[in-house]
Amino acid sequence: MTTKVFIDGKAGTTGLRIYERLQLRNDIQLMTLSEEDRKKPECRKEMLNSCDIAFLCLPDDASREAVAMIENPDVVVLDTSTAHRTCDDWAYGFPELSPAFFQKIATSKRIAVPGCHASGFIALVQPLINAGILPADTLLTCHSLTGFSGGGKKMIAEYGDENRPALFDAPRQYGLGQQHKHLKEMVKISGCAEAPVFCPIVADYYSGMLVTVPVFKSQLANGATVESIRKVYKDLYNGNMVFYAENASEGGLLSGNAMSGKDSMQIMVEGNEDRILLLARYDNLGKGASGAAVECMNIVMKQAPETGLDL
């Protein structure tokens, strides 16, 4: 028996990558619309109500509109936008955080796929708050380096333009007003009492992400040490999709694109006993977007989470 899947927004960067992952699977029937029909609300509504699983790869408002179109109670929705990530009645699509997160994904009809930057921050911080190692009211900073594909088709075109400004040749920090759209889910899902000072940086490479959260030993609770942190990560992240990686640097350096093309995530701890670096490395289009979406779909379908993914 095949599962009928419709990708609303297939032409976008995330939608296209989901489509590429699913088109070779024999347990999936991809339902598609012509270029003309995909712009017609009535055609989209018909598809959204006749599929088993709908991926929404749309801007926030369009995602909300699409959800409102769905009248069939059996349709499972996986939304890759920011629209529903902090909604209590939606499952948050990061199953590795705990068995409860996994179970909610497995049984929900509404699943919000995490944001790319948020995925790394939450993967690093939420387990330490849960374990009582990092107090929830700790004031944190987060640096996040990403390839330009994270900006979607427009930014990909800008970086690919041979006449682009010279400023594009160097890494560029953005989100300068500290109002980045991922901050709300970073706070809610991690359990932080305060939003971190967040410094996202886009650089001149296609895909890959490196998220860093620095902490001082003096910020840790209950006598915790670097080894305490490593133990939490090793115990929690021991699967195929998210895993603790020891000595993963490239000669003392960490490349932001080392996981490009992969759907998994490395968790690392560097620094020393006093100044500790918590690190997550993955592909912004993989575990940071389409790979995470397909992983959630697999869980809904009662398949192995990594089915059809590149680890």
Side-chain angles (χ1 to χ4, degrees), residues 211-229:
V211 175
T212 305
V213 178
V215 296
F216 289 99
K217 182 181 179 180
S218 59
Q219 293 176 294
L220 306 181
N222 302 318
T225 64
V226 173
E227 286 308 313
S228 306
I229 294 172

Side-chain angles (χ1 to χ4, degrees), residues 82 85-87 92 94 97 101 113-127 129 134 136 138 140-145 174-175 178-200 209 211-214 282:
T82 313
R85 291 175 187 160
T86 59
C87 296
Y92 189 76
F94 203 113
L97 292 175
F101 275 84
V113 179
C116 55
H117 295 289
S119 294
F121 178 82
I122 291 166
L124 295 169
V125 174
Q126 190 261 11
I129 291 178
L134 193 66
T138 305
L140 296 171
T141 298
C142 176
H143 296 268
S144 187
L145 176 65
Y174 63 103
Q178 292 300 304
Q179 297 295 323
H180 193 283
K181 65 180 181 178
H182 290 179
L183 280 169
K184 291 181 180 179
E185 68 182 286
M186 290 163 71
V187 170
K188 181 178 176 63
I189 306 301
S190 70
C192 286
E194 299 285 346
V197 175
F198 182 42
C199 306
M209 190 162 249
V211 175
T212 305
V213 178
Y282 50 105

Side-chain angles (χ1 to χ4, degrees), residues 1-7 19 22-32 47 50-55 297 301:
M1 181 178 175
T2 58
T3 299
K4 294 183 291 183
V5 174
F6 175 58
I7 305 170
Y19 182 83
L22 300 185
Q23 65 178 339
L24 300 178
R25 290 178 55 164
N26 56 20
D27 58 341
I28 299 282
Q29 177 189 341
L30 282 169
M31 304 171 66
T32 60
M47 282 291 189
S50 57
C51 65
D52 298 309
I53 296 174
F55 288 95
M297 181 203 73
M301 293 174 61

Side-chain angles (χ1 to χ4, degrees), residues 8 23 47 52 56 67 89 107 135 175 182 190 193 208 210 221-223 226-227 238 242 247 261 288 297 299:
D8 196 3
Q23 65 178 339
M47 282 291 189
D52 298 309
L56 306 183
V67 172
D89 53 343
T107 57
H182 290 179
S190 70
L210 178 62
N222 302 318
V226 173
E227 286 308 313
N238 52 23
V242 183
N247 301 316
M297 181 203 73
I299 292 170

Side-chain angles (χ1 to χ4, degrees), residues 9-50:
K10 182 173 75 69
T13 307
T14 300
L16 182 60
R17 190 147 171 173
I18 292 172
Y19 182 83
E20 290 170 348
R21 278 157 171 68
L22 300 185
Q23 65 178 339
L24 300 178
R25 290 178 55 164
N26 56 20
D27 58 341
I28 299 282
Q29 177 189 341
L30 282 169
M31 304 171 66
T32 60
L33 290 170
S34 67
E35 186 67 20
E36 180 182 357
D37 286 347
R38 74 180 183 86
K39 298 176 183 178
K40 297 178 180 177
E42 65 273 17
C43 295
R44 289 176 53 227
K45 182 175 181 178
E46 181 180 354
M47 282 291 189
L48 287 166
N49 283 282
S50 57

Side-chain angles (χ1 to χ4, degrees), residues 52 60 72 75 122 130 195 264:
D52 298 309
D60 288 6
N72 182 347
V75 174
I122 291 166
N130 274 7
S264 50

Side-chain angles (χ1 to χ4, degrees), residues 71-292:
E71 299 166 347
N72 182 347
D74 296 324
V75 174
V76 175
V77 177
L78 290 129
D79 183 10
T80 68
S81 81
T82 313
H84 300 100
R85 291 175 187 160
T86 59
C87 296
D88 291 334
D89 53 343
W90 284 64
Y92 189 76
F94 203 113
E96 292 81 10
L97 292 175
S98 73
F101 275 84
F102 185 102
Q103 187 61 24
K104 190 168 182 178
I105 293 166
T107 57
S108 291
K109 299 295 186 185
R110 300 290 183 267
I111 302 163
V113 179
C116 55
H117 295 289
S119 294
F121 178 82
I122 291 166
L124 295 169
V125 174
Q126 190 261 11
L128 302 186
I129 291 178
N130 274 7
I133 288 176
L134 193 66
D137 61 357
T138 305
L139 298 179
L140 296 171
T141 298
C142 176
H143 296 268
S144 187
L145 176 65
T146 182
F148 58 77
S149 61
K153 282 189 169 182
K154 180 181 178 182
M155 185 170 285
I156 292 170
E158 289 173 344
Y159 271 87
D161 186 347
E162 61 181 17
N163 298 313
R164 72 187 196 184
L167 292 173
F168 282 55
D169 297 343
R172 297 185 298 159
Q173 187 166 320
Y174 63 103
L176 302 179
Q178 292 300 304
Q179 297 295 323
H180 193 283
K181 65 180 181 178
H182 290 179
L183 280 169
K184 291 181 180 179
E185 68 182 286
M186 290 163 71
V187 170
K188 181 178 176 63
I189 306 301
S190 70
C192 286
E194 299 285 346
V197 175
F198 182 42
C199 306
I201 300 164
V202 61
D204 187 15
Y205 64 98
Y206 184 73
S207 72
M209 190 162 249
L210 178 62
V211 175
T212 305
V213 178
V215 296
F216 289 99
K217 182 181 179 180
S218 59
Q219 293 176 294
L220 306 181
N222 302 318
T225 64
V226 173
E227 286 308 313
S228 306
I229 294 172
R230 289 193 173 110
K231 184 177 188 311
V232 168
Y233 290 155
K234 288 177 182 178
D235 290 347
L236 182 62
Y237 298 134
N238 52 23
N240 294 321
M241 292 294 299
V242 183
F243 55 91
Y244 180 77
E246 197 81 62
N247 301 316
S249 73
E250 298 86 36
L253 301 170
L254 280 173
S255 173
N257 71 349
M259 298 294 284
S260 181
K262 302 294 185 181
D263 293 306
S264 50
M265 175 187 283
Q266 293 178 326
I267 299 294
M268 298 163 282
V269 179
E270 297 288 349
N272 54 48
E273 285 293 338
D274 296 316
R275 300 182 306 281
I276 306 159
L277 298 178
L278 314 176
L279 300 136
R281 185 162 60 170
Y282 50 105
D283 189 343
N284 54 287
L285 298 179
K287 183 60 173 167
S290 55

